[in-house]
Amino acid sequence: MKLTYIPAAYITHSKGKYNITIELPGVKKENINLEITEQGFCLNAKGANFRYSGCWALAHRVNPEDVKAKFDNGLLNIRIGLKEPPEGRKIEIR
C-alpha cells in the first residue's frame, strides 16, 4: 500500500498571472499529472512507495490555455494567466 500525501503548495499572483510552486521530492516528471480548470487545479504524482494528491481552488478565474509548467529538482513551477485582472479597492489601515 502506497502512502498518499498532500504536497506543499505556495500560491501568489502578480502582473495578471498566478505563480504556483509545489514541492514534489522523490517524483519524476513523467509521473506527474496536472489538470487545470478556470476555478483551480488538481495534481497527482507517483513516487517509488508513495504518491502526492491534491486539488486547490483559486480565488480568481484563470485561462487554462495560458499555462506554463516546469519541473526541476523536486519543484513544480506553474504560471497561469488570469482571465481578468482582479480589481480591488485599497483600504486605509489606521
Side-chain angles (χ1 to χ4, degrees):
M1 177 171 73
K2 290 187 177 189
L3 294 174
T4 301
Y5 300 99
I6 299 171
Y10 307 93
I11 303 171
T12 61
H13 69 76
S14 65
K15 298 182 182 175
K17 292 195 179 289
Y18 269 108
N19 301 300
I20 302 165
T21 300
I22 302 174
E23 295 181 5
L24 298 171
V27 170
K28 294 181 181 176
K29 178 175 70 171
E30 56 270 13
N31 293 332
I32 299 171
N33 180 38
L34 175 65
E35 295 182 12
I36 296 176
T37 68
E38 286 187 2
Q39 289 89 21
F41 64 98
C42 290
L43 175 130
N44 289 290
K46 295 179 186 176
N49 296 313
F50 61 92
R51 66 185 189 125
Y52 294 107
S53 183
C55 290
W56 293 262
L58 299 171
H60 308 289
R61 290 180 12 153
V62 296
N63 181 356
E65 303 299 319
D66 183 14
V67 178
K68 292 183 181 170
K70 180 180 177 185
F71 185 68
D72 186 36
N73 204 23
L75 295 176
L76 177 62
N77 293 295
I78 308 164
R79 306 288 179 261
I80 309 171
L82 298 173
K83 276 248 184 209
E84 301 168 4
E87 293 184 25
R89 184 175 146 245
K90 184 164 175 66
I91 305 299
E92 179 183 344
I93 301 174
R94 298 178 194 198

